[in-house]
Amino acid sequence: MKYLILLFFAYTFAFGQSETPYPQDYFRNPLDITLVLSGTFAELRSNHFHSGLDIKTQQRTGLKVYAAAQGYVSRIKISHYGYGKALYITHPNGYVSVYAHLNKFSPKIQKYIKACQYEKESYEVEMFPSPDELPISSDEVVAFSGNTGGSGGPHLHFEIRDNEERPINPLLFGIDVKDTKSPFLLAAYAYPKDRNSHVDDEKKRKELRLIPNKNGDYSTEPIEALGDIGFGIVSYDQQDLANNKNGVSNIQTFYNGNKSFEMDFKRFSFSESKHINRFIDFEVFKEEKSRIQKLFVQSGNTLSMLKDVDSHGYIKVEDSTNTVYKVRIRDFKGNESWLSIPIKGRPAKEILEAPELKPDHYIYADQVNELESENISVYFPKQSFYEDFYIDFGVDSDTLKLHRDVVPMLKSYTITYDVSSYSEEDKSKLFIAKLYGYYKNPSYISTKRLGNKLSARTKSLGTFALARDTVNPTINPINFQDGKWLSKLDYLKVRIDDDLSGISNYRATINGKWILMEYDYKKDTLTYDFDDNVNTETENNLKIIVTDNVGNSTTFEATFFRK
């Protein structure tokens, strides 16, 4: 085995000296069906760029998932949310392949991880096997596709990462997807940089009238402008075998024939993924659910996918000129669409502008900022925001208005409530909630208690309030009844729910022994597999305790018989 490990790292070093940055024909399709994507690499998601390919699994679970190449299982993570059941395989060439939202693992991996779960008495685990514990051969079945974690439907999330844990587009390694369609353009916008610039006499973002051309490209009606101007687009790509609106692969801009900006969606690091909220127009996304990709670079946007950016991507329109701004949008297969924006340079007409109304409080991005009123205080660390701005701050009883959730944030901040005026009984049931929607429905934020202070950390602005949860969670059996024989069942299932603060934890035992119950938060179910063989008696006593986020608890007990 020592020889194999030495050979592993020798091969890694040798390959690192190769001039080919991405090996072709090394990694295989992880499924044995035609590759059809519901999500592409680096496409725009909420608060992050997508780090892999979402491969369709024909609207079902249980498809065989193959190792993309030989190697060893270097990490297994199981969580209620996020990737759900995820598997990481390190390969001799130094890359790591990732398989997520799995239904279950292959027998040898399943045996390994279940032993860990029972040892830790926890469904959620994260393990890092050594290179000789779970070796993987080429084309080995390592798992079965599923819909676990934050998945919105059955599919396989597949990644390839380099030795610095940076995700890379798997299509760069020769994995093929049929795509002959050019990207689509939905909208185009112009952004005057400051008060000295204008577009059609407007000094704020302006949507341009988009004109599809017969050749598949696009243009806009001519605009009149002056000064420093940036542009933004809403675009997507579509493969031949799917109707999903996926992300594009590359965007370039040209002004009078000279390249001024490029965004190349090839590779990124997880630490920078948050800057997506600086790359898109965050306010438009939060209010209209449309992601405008800004083809200019504002302060704090340090995305490594940016290339050849001249003058931060802005163009300078001068008086009495006729120019053209062009955008080239490409997918991975090289299909492309062009956008042309004719521009005539002229000064703005004199416009009497109303004075801008500004709140009383101002945020300095490079400083600590603290706000306080009545029983509520807010603490923003340095560099919580990308830029300085006026913040709308107000307190009404236990309700905190903290601007609108339209400002992108870099760090979490802390909200603190003084609850000394509440009774001891009420204090134990209080939590800090963010209020959503027209009816201001409360949503739990992880709340800490220290004496008479409640505090919570969050990374979004909005309206917050104290909420009180006095209702215990519910537990109801799904496929069995108390006192019945269950010999023919493969699984034991119950439904758990909490109507306000949400489920915090649960614990289940049979005859006093801990059992592994998988929690599917999307279906509010706990499932126990009788193959675990924890119950060895004919008469069995099931006990489940479920606790919500403020400590309300419910205990469910039942007796069943099984041979």
Side-chain angles (χ1 to χ4, degrees):
M1 184 54 68
K2 290 183 178 179
Y3 171 79
L4 290 176
I5 295 174
L6 288 173
L7 182 62
F8 183 96
F9 288 108
Y11 185 80
T12 301
F13 178 80
F15 193 89
Q17 308 308 307
S18 170
E19 295 181 359
T20 304
Y22 304 109
Q24 304 297 296
D25 302 321
Y26 185 91
F27 293 110
R28 58 156 289 172
N29 179 348
L31 299 174
D32 58 4
I33 59 175
T34 301
L35 200 65
V36 180
L37 304 182
S38 60
T40 52
F41 182 80
E43 75 179 18
L44 312 180
R45 300 288 179 90
S46 294
N47 299 315
H48 69 284
F49 293 96
H50 189 231
S51 55
L53 304 178
D54 282 346
I55 305 173
K56 288 175 176 280
T57 55
Q58 301 172 340
Q59 300 181 335
R60 57 196 176 106
T61 62
L63 273 63
K64 292 179 179 179
V65 177
Y66 296 86
Q70 73 175 67
Y72 70 93
V73 175
S74 54
R75 182 183 178 193
I76 307 170
K77 185 174 183 180
I78 298 179
S79 55
H80 299 315
Y81 311 103
Y83 281 9
K85 295 182 181 181
L87 186 70
Y88 301 72
I89 298 176
T90 296
H91 303 282
N93 60 3
Y95 291 101
V96 176
S97 57
V98 183
Y99 316 77
H101 306 306
L102 302 169
N103 184 50
K104 61 180 180 179
F105 305 103
S106 66
K108 72 176 183 183
I109 300 174
Q110 191 82 355
K111 180 180 179 180
Y112 172 91
I113 198 63
K114 272 207 172 184
C116 297
Q117 290 173 307
Y118 272 95
E119 180 184 353
K120 296 177 179 294
E121 295 193 353
S122 175
Y123 171 70
E124 293 191 301
V125 293
E126 184 174 17
M127 303 301 296
F128 298 88
S130 61
D132 59 348
E133 283 187 279
L134 293 171
I136 299 298
S137 59
S138 298
D139 299 327
E140 181 175 340
V141 175
V142 293
F144 299 87
S145 67
N147 186 30
T148 57
S151 170
H155 73 278
L156 174 67
H157 175 88
F158 175 67
E159 298 179 16
I160 296 178
R161 301 181 183 180
D162 65 15
N163 57 10
E164 296 181 33
E165 282 292 302
R166 293 176 298 186
I168 305 170
N169 189 346
L171 299 182
L172 289 165
F173 295 83
I175 295 174
D176 191 42
V177 177
K178 188 176 183 181
D179 185 0
T180 60
K181 299 179 182 178
S182 297
F184 294 86
L185 190 64
L186 295 182
Y189 296 81
Y191 288 78
K193 182 180 180 181
D194 50 41
R195 308 304 292 176
N196 298 317
S197 307
H198 83 93
V199 174
D200 291 337
D201 299 321
E202 294 188 22
K203 297 183 181 294
K204 58 183 180 180
R205 177 186 64 245
K206 177 181 174 61
E207 183 171 4
L208 308 181
R209 183 171 178 270
L210 199 62
I211 304 170
N213 300 328
K214 291 182 179 180
N215 64 354
D217 291 332
Y218 303 83
S219 59
T220 70
E221 290 185 334
I223 62 172
E224 295 183 340
L226 198 72
D228 294 332
I229 310 295
F231 293 90
I233 60 171
V234 180
S235 62
Y236 70 91
D237 188 44
Q238 200 170 61
Q239 285 82 47
D240 289 5
L241 302 178
N243 294 321
N244 302 77
K245 295 180 179 180
N246 299 135
V248 302
S249 182
N250 183 278
I251 304 173
Q252 297 177 340
T253 70
F254 304 86
Y255 187 51
N256 289 336
N258 298 314
K259 185 178 177 182
S260 57
F261 173 97
E262 181 175 359
M263 184 74 169
D264 190 19
F265 300 91
K266 182 182 297 180
R267 182 185 69 187
F268 62 89
S269 64
F270 288 106
S271 62
E272 65 178 316
S273 192
K274 62 188 175 184
H275 295 308
I276 187 174
N277 291 333
R278 195 59 163 165
F279 172 59
I280 65 171
D281 190 318
F282 189 71
E283 181 176 2
V284 172
F285 168 63
K286 297 298 289 189
E287 295 193 331
E288 302 177 19
K289 304 306 177 187
S290 176
R291 292 185 174 94
I292 302 173
Q293 299 172 83
K294 294 183 292 190
L295 309 181
F296 53 95
V297 182
Q298 294 172 292
S299 61
N301 182 355
T302 57
L303 287 170
S304 61
M305 293 180 284
L306 292 166
K307 298 172 58 179
D308 301 333
V309 178
D310 181 44
S311 300
H312 302 287
Y314 290 96
I315 64 168
K316 182 175 290 294
V317 180
E318 298 180 347
D319 190 13
S320 303
T321 58
N322 288 284
T323 55
V324 177
Y325 179 86
K326 287 182 173 288
V327 183
R328 178 165 62 187
I329 311 159
R330 291 186 291 182
D331 63 22
F332 183 81
K333 282 299 190 74
N335 304 303
E336 62 181 38
S337 297
W338 285 84
L339 167 66
S340 298
I341 303 176
I343 305 170
K344 181 178 180 180
R346 73 157 181 82
K349 298 175 182 177
E350 288 294 328
I351 300 174
L352 183 62
E353 296 184 84
E356 185 179 357
L357 298 177
K358 299 177 179 178
D360 294 332
H361 301 278
Y362 196 72
I363 294 293
Y364 295 93
D366 62 348
Q367 299 179 17
V368 169
N369 294 267
E370 296 182 81
L371 304 172
E372 186 172 1
S373 179
E374 300 177 21
N375 62 323
I376 304 174
S377 62
V378 182
Y379 176 86
F380 295 106
K382 289 182 180 180
Q383 280 83 48
S384 292
F385 301 95
Y386 285 97
E387 59 191 353
D388 302 347
F389 72 103
Y390 283 96
I391 190 169
D392 189 4
F393 167 75
V395 172
D396 182 8
S397 185
D398 286 332
T399 300
L400 165 66
K401 182 179 181 182
L402 203 55
H403 213 75
R404 294 179 298 128
D405 187 13
V406 295
V407 181
M409 298 198 65
L410 284 162
K411 296 180 180 178
S412 296
Y413 65 97
T414 304
I415 300 171
T416 301
Y417 277 77
D418 184 335
V419 295
S420 55
S421 62
Y422 285 86
S423 68
E424 292 301 318
E425 181 180 359
D426 283 343
K427 288 177 189 177
S428 66
K429 304 302 180 184
L430 291 174
F431 64 92
I432 299 174
K434 185 172 182 179
L435 305 183
Y436 287 94
Y438 179 81
Y439 294 104
K440 302 298 181 184
N441 295 315
S443 179
Y444 175 82
I445 303 176
S446 182
T447 302
K448 294 183 179 179
R449 295 168 176 79
L450 182 61
N452 288 321
K453 298 292 180 67
L454 296 184
S455 63
R457 288 172 57 78
T458 182
K459 203 175 180 181
S460 62
L461 302 177
T463 302
F464 304 85
L466 283 182
R468 182 169 173 265
D469 186 357
T470 60
V471 180
N472 294 336
T474 60
I475 308 174
N476 294 293
I478 295 176
N479 64 340
F480 68 97
Q481 294 178 345
D482 185 26
K484 299 295 184 179
W485 283 86
L486 307 182
S487 300
K488 294 182 179 181
L489 292 182
D490 295 324
Y491 300 94
L492 188 151
K493 293 187 177 185
V494 300
R495 178 171 286 109
I496 64 174
D497 193 18
D498 187 78
D499 68 344
L500 189 52
S501 63
I503 303 296
S504 173
N505 58 73
Y506 63 92
R507 180 179 176 83
T509 59
I510 292 179
N511 300 331
K513 297 179 180 179
W514 184 86
I515 61 171
L516 174 64
M517 296 200 81
E518 298 193 5
Y519 177 39
D520 184 342
Y521 77 94
K522 297 190 288 283
K523 296 181 179 179
D524 298 321
T525 57
L526 294 177
T527 302
Y528 166 66
D529 187 345
F530 279 116
D531 282 347
D532 288 358
N533 293 320
V534 173
N535 55 302
T536 58
E537 306 294 329
T538 300
E539 182 177 343
N540 298 276
N541 297 309
L542 170 68
K543 184 176 182 179
I544 303 173
I545 303 172
V546 178
T547 306
D548 68 17
N549 279 298
V550 298
N552 299 309
S553 182
T554 297
T555 300
F556 172 87
E557 294 188 79
T559 299
F560 66 89
F561 301 89
R562 184 177 174 86
K563 287 184 179 180

